[in-house]
Each structure stands twice: as structure tokens, then as C-alpha cells.
């Protein structure tokens, strides 16, 4: 019925296809009916889908607004209260009691490697007889506090301070001699002190007594039976007190 050329350009083919479509419509009226019904059915379905979309569509929620609580900077946490200061213990060096308003105050430095509790009490009593306010610093090895009698004595008065001196076996100098010498040098610069006393037994503290004598009144307390040592210390210009 229709003659088509087998060869030709693409526009020729489109023209032929259009002519074929027109001739088929004129020859077969039912072709147009089918095409119209298909279009109507497609239109009805499309209308129903569109109506369903319109009834179920909801606008998207608005973007969340920043909360005023979040926009403001968070409050800074309050700093915890400082821990309470620990109570002073004779295990650690404590500062001397302030007696600057009193006259004739003296610090007694004790070599507890050679002196016992009774000797220390006798030395304090001898200094008090001179109307002096006595503060005592006891130098000994740290384990001395493990002895109940010593610990009770060291904690019996606020005017007694314990200085733990570690035992250094690698040095030739006696640890107590060095610690007492350093303490005497520091106390010499204290204007509230009138005198520094030494409760010792050997000549290793002669240099310490001479150092004290240059800045303060020096006092050396010795046992009654140490006459020779008393003469040696007397040459430093220190006051000698013989203990019974």
C-alpha cells in the first residue's frame, strides 16, 4: 500500500513516517478512537495523582531557630573552695613563733644525736632563769618521732620545733653539724632575736659559735663534766652555761 524508499536522509524518513501516520488515521478510523481513549485515560490518571498529591502535600517545617539559652555563653562553673590547710606536724619544719614583741628571746639549737630529753629540759630552764623567752629547735634523724617518749616531748609545746635530718652516708660531714650550721646562719639575719644558743658536746660547732658571735649573742650550753670543751668555746666569745 505504501511505498518507502530504502535509502535516504533522516529528514526524508521523518516525512515518510508522518505521511504514514496520516494515511493510517484516514483509512482506519478506529485508530483515532483508540488514540483518543488512551489520551483520556492517561489524563484522568494524571489528574487523580495530581489531586492526591495536592491533598497530602504539606509545607516543610521551618528551620529550627537557635535557642536563646544556647546562644548565650554557658555560665562558668564556680571554683571549688580551697582545701583546708593541714595542721602543723612536727614531722615537717614549722616557722618559729613570733616573739618579736618580747625582750631577750633566744633560739636554742639542739644536737639531739648527743642530747637527751632531760638535757634539753635542763638547758631550757637555764635560759629561762636569765629572763629569756626560749624557742627550741631539735635536730635528729627522721625516725626519732617513732619513739613515743620523744614524740610526746616534741608535741608538748608550741615553742619546740623538730627538724628531721636525713642520714647521708656518702658524705664525710656529720648531717646534724651541717643542718645546725645552716640554721644558725639563717637565724643571724632575724632582727627579732637577741641570742642564739647551742646545746652541743663536741668541737665541730666552734665555727658555728664564731659565726653567731659576729651577729648575735652566742650562748653555748655544755654538761658539767666537759670543762675542756667549755674552755675552747669560751675563746669564741660565747657565753658558757654549765649544766648539772
Amino acid at each position: 500500500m505504501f511505498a518507502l524508499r530504502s535509502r535516504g536522509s533522516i529528514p526524508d524518513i521523518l516525512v515518510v513516517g508522518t505521511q504514514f501516520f496520516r494515511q493510517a488515521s484516514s483509512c482506519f478510523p478506529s485508530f483515532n478512537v483508540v488514540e483518543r481513549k488512551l489520551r483520556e485515560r492517561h489524563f484522568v490518571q494524571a489528574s487523580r495523582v495530581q489531586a492526591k498529591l495536592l491533598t497530602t502535600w504539606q509545607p516543610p517545617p521551618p528551620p529550627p531557630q537557635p535557642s536563646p539559652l544556647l546562644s548565650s555563653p554557658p555560665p562558668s562553673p564556680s571554683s571549688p573552695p580551697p582545701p583546708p590547710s593541714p595542721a602543723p606536724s612536727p614531722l615537717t619544719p614549722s616557722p618559729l613563733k613570733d616573739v618579736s614583741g618580747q625582750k631577750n628571746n633566744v633560739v636554742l639549737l639542739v644536737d639531739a644525736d648527743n642530747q637527751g630529753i632531760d638535757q634539753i629540759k635542763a638547758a631550757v630552764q637555764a635560759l629561762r632563769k636569765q629572763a629569756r623567752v626560749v624557742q627550741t629547735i631539735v635536730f635528729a634523724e627522721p625516725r626519732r618521732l617513732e619513739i613515743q617518749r620523744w614524740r610526746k616531748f616534741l608535741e608538748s609545746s608550741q615553742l619546740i620545733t623538730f627538724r628531721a635530718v636525713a642520714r647521708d652516708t656518702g658524705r664525710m660531714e656529720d648531717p646534724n653539724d651541717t643542718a645546725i650550721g645552716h640554721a644558725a646562719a639563717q637565724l643571724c639575719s632575724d632582727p627579732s632575736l637577741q641570742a642564739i644558743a647551742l646545746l652541743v658536746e663536741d668541737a665541730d660547732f666552734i665555727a658555728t659559735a664564731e659565726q653567731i658571735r659576729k651577729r648575735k649573742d652566742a650562748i653555748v650550753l655544755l654538761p658539767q663534766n666537759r670543762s675542756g670543751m667549755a674552755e675552747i668555746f669560751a675563746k669564741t666569745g660565747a657565753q658558757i652555761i654549765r649544766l648539772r
Side-chain angles (χ1 to χ4, degrees), residues 91 141-151 162:
L91 289 172
E141 75 283 356
R143 296 179 65 90
R144 184 67 60 93
L145 288 172
E146 297 179 4
I147 304 175
Q148 184 177 1
R149 183 168 177 262
W150 272 97
R151 189 179 189 94
F162 177 73

Side-chain angles (χ1 to χ4, degrees), residues 219-232:
I219 304 173
V220 179
L221 299 102
L222 296 168
Q224 187 70 28
N225 59 352
R226 303 302 296 268
S227 300
M229 194 63 60
E231 294 178 0
I232 296 176

Side-chain angles (χ1 to χ4, degrees), residues 157-173:
S157 174
Q158 294 182 353
L159 295 177
I160 300 177
T161 301
F162 177 73
R163 296 288 178 90
V165 182
R167 307 290 100 169
D168 188 357
T169 57
R171 300 181 61 180
M172 296 297 296
E173 300 85 358

Side-chain angles (χ1 to χ4, degrees), residues 112-168:
D113 285 352
N114 300 311
Q115 305 296 328
I117 296 176
D118 295 337
Q119 287 80 5
I120 298 174
K121 291 181 178 180
V124 172
Q125 291 297 328
L127 292 172
R128 286 179 178 174
K129 289 180 180 179
Q130 299 181 358
R132 294 182 181 273
V133 178
V134 184
Q135 300 186 72
T136 305
I137 305 178
V138 179
F139 296 81
E141 75 283 356
R143 296 179 65 90
R144 184 67 60 93
L145 288 172
E146 297 179 4
I147 304 175
Q148 184 177 1
R149 183 168 177 262
W150 272 97
R151 189 179 189 94
K152 183 177 179 181
F153 167 71
L154 294 171
E155 295 177 347
S156 62
S157 174
Q158 294 182 353
L159 295 177
I160 300 177
T161 301
F162 177 73
R163 296 288 178 90
V165 182
R167 307 290 100 169
D168 188 357

Side-chain angles (χ1 to χ4, degrees), residues 84-105:
S85 57
S89 171
L91 289 172
T92 56
S94 58
L96 295 176
K97 184 178 180 181
D98 184 11
V99 292
S100 56
Q102 305 183 41
K103 297 180 179 180
N104 297 329
N105 55 79

Side-chain angles (χ1 to χ4, degrees), residues 25 28-41:
S25 300
F28 303 98
S30 60
F31 185 83
N32 292 332
V33 174
V34 172
E35 180 183 4
R36 185 170 60 254
K37 289 183 177 181
L38 290 175
R39 289 182 179 179
E40 292 177 354
R41 180 179 299 177

Side-chain angles (χ1 to χ4, degrees), residues 53-63:
L53 291 176
L54 290 176
T55 55
T56 59
W57 180 84
Q58 294 182 358

